[in-house]
Amino acid sequence: MLNLTYNVFLFLQYGLALLSFVALFFVTAPYGRHSRKGWGPRMGERFAWILMEFPAFFMILLFYVLARGWTLIVPTVFILFWELHYVQRTFVYPNLIRKSDRKIFPVTVALMGFSFNLLNGGVNGWYLYRTASQYTVAWLWDIRFILGAAVFLAGYGINLYADRELRKLRDKNPDEYSVPRGGLFELISCPNYFGEMIEWFGWALMTWSWPGLAFAVFTFANLFPRALANHRWYKKTFKNYPKDRKAIIPFVL
Ligand code: NDP
């Protein structure tokens, strides 16, 4: 029964990725620059981010404790990587984004984010719980782990850097959007999404797991259409927007 439940949740993760990928080409999630009326009540942006991301932070930790993960090296390394991202995203990022806390974030979007993170944190945590003793220390020398960890950290670094650059623009000009300049922004409109996407492909590689891959696929399905929408928005909004800049994949798209 437990096996069946796990498989159903895993299947749901892949199903949601596919559904989101198709739907997000037609409907861009209505927050940030794509904010618009007709999506019901709104809440403070800071609290929305904490609410959305908390289940991902918490669920994996719960399974780690249930599995007594601290007695095992590889699960401990995995959770350190995961929480490196989620402590930042849940507790640090929301406190940096905006000085004011106007009610601008649609509750529906926050609830969708919350539900997905509950599922995703749960399935990744459950997977680690089920397999905790199967990863021996030798896994840390496996090329999949080494490459995956390197890709994860590279993506994490890019994501942090790009979010920080955007924040600087927001701080300089709290009520307007500006054209980001420098670094990866010269190549693509959304380096933060690019970093996030490669980060979770790194996770999939280093854990070599179906739930890890499901999260990587979902992140791509979620952020790729939004990056295209952001890129279109930049080109429409700024007449002088750099012509050679791509949306999300340097030199390609
Ligand atoms: P955005 O790039 O749309 O916005 C990030 C922040 O920068 C916001 O505060 C935004 O302000 C500000 N900003 C963005 N562009 C400009 C600009 N040109 N000028 C001034 N300020 C700007 O990212 P998201 O809000 O969509 O995502 C935030 C983080 O969450 C990212 O790191 C992303 O990778 C991650 N994320 C991950 C997902 C996943 O599936 N794994 C899903 C969604 C997000 P404002 O709010 O006013 O637009």
Side-chain angles (χ1 to χ4, degrees), residues 31 33 89 98 159 163 170 177-178 192-193 196 234:
Y31 70 90
R33 82 198 71 213
R89 177 68 78 232
R98 209 179 272 275
N159 178 262
D163 275 344
R170 178 53 73 239
Y177 288 94
S178 330
N192 52 346
Y193 294 172
E196 180 106 20
Y234 272 123

Side-chain angles (χ1 to χ4, degrees), residues 65-85:
V65 171
L66 289 176
R68 294 171 54 79
W70 59 88
T71 59
L72 299 157
I73 291 176
V74 179
T76 302
V77 172
F78 284 157
I79 201 168
L80 285 175
F81 273 81
W82 179 278
E83 296 297 15
L84 179 71
H85 177 93

Side-chain angles (χ1 to χ4, degrees), residues 31-63:
Y31 70 90
R33 82 198 71 213
H34 303 290
S35 207
R36 54 200 184 272
K37 290 198 176 112
W39 285 79
R42 288 162 186 260
M43 63 193 296
E45 193 182 22
R46 199 183 312 275
F47 182 60
W49 278 102
I50 296 173
L51 176 74
M52 285 191 291
E53 306 299 325
F54 186 78
F57 161 81
F58 176 76
M59 290 303 285
I60 205 158
L61 201 59
L62 177 69
F63 279 104

Side-chain angles (χ1 to χ4, degrees), residues 19-36:
L19 196 72
S20 307
F21 189 63
V22 176
L24 290 170
F25 277 107
F26 296 98
V27 185
T28 305
Y31 70 90
R33 82 198 71 213
H34 303 290
S35 207
R36 54 200 184 272

Side-chain angles (χ1 to χ4, degrees), residues 145-217:
F145 176 82
I146 294 170
L147 262 181
V151 169
F152 181 101
L153 291 174
Y156 179 71
I158 292 170
N159 178 262
L160 277 190
Y161 143 82
D163 275 344
R164 194 192 59 211
E165 292 305 307
L166 293 174
R167 225 166 25 241
K168 283 192 207 157
L169 291 181
R170 178 53 73 239
D171 285 348
K172 242 191 253 165
N173 203 346
D175 300 317
E176 303 276 345
Y177 288 94
S178 330
V179 176
R181 303 269 179 198
L184 260 180
F185 284 102
E186 294 302 327
L187 299 181
I188 50 177
S189 292
C190 303
N192 52 346
Y193 294 172
F194 175 69
E196 180 106 20
M197 277 161 39
I198 62 177
E199 189 179 342
W200 295 112
F201 272 103
W203 172 260
L205 193 55
M206 68 189 270
T207 59
W208 202 248
S209 66
W210 288 114
L213 183 64
F215 186 22
V217 171

